[in-house]
Amino acid sequence: MGHTAVIYGLDIETETRLLRVAQPVTEFGTPQLTALLQDMRDTMAHLDGAGLAAPQIGVDLRVVIFGFESNPRYPDAPPVPDTVLINPVLTPFGE
């Protein structure tokens, strides 16, 4: 039995959600995490996006994906490898 694609709409509270610290992923290699990543990829492709954070679709987890081979929104951009970040730690370069 294959995975049924789920295309999420972007959460209307995206801006406030992205300012909060999301919950860390604590279990890896689960069917739920695999399904979330596939749903995020499907949603990003459907929206011609270049990247997507789980909170943008209403999922309060520290998961980010980005990458594309080609993208109509960025026709002159070179390909970006498919990348998944789970529980990323971001360090600002300056104040």
Side-chain angles (χ1 to χ4, degrees), residues 41-92:
R41 285 183 183 104
D42 293 341
T43 299
M44 187 174 73
H46 178 76
L47 297 172
D48 291 328
L52 187 66
Q56 287 179 281
I57 58 170
V59 177
D60 190 34
L61 289 173
R62 294 181 197 169
V63 177
V64 176
I65 65 167
F66 58 89
F68 57 88
E69 192 62 35
S70 64
N71 188 306
R73 288 175 60 191
Y74 311 101
D76 297 327
V80 175
D82 183 35
T83 303
V84 175
L85 304 177
I86 298 178
N87 299 333
V89 176
L90 305 177
T91 304

Side-chain angles (χ1 to χ4, degrees), residues 3-75:
H3 175 76
T4 301
V6 174
I7 305 298
Y8 286 89
L10 292 184
D11 193 308
I12 59 172
E13 296 180 6
T14 294
E15 286 185 30
T16 55
R17 285 186 186 273
L18 292 178
L19 293 175
R20 295 192 314 244
V21 177
Q23 298 299 308
V25 173
T26 58
E27 295 183 37
F28 299 88
T30 66
Q32 294 85 358
L33 183 58
T34 300
L36 173 62
L37 292 171
Q38 188 59 56
D39 292 344
M40 289 177 69
R41 285 183 183 104
D42 293 341
T43 299
M44 187 174 73
H46 178 76
L47 297 172
D48 291 328
L52 187 66
Q56 287 179 281
I57 58 170
V59 177
D60 190 34
L61 289 173
R62 294 181 197 169
V63 177
V64 176
I65 65 167
F66 58 89
F68 57 88
E69 192 62 35
S70 64
N71 188 306
R73 288 175 60 191
Y74 311 101

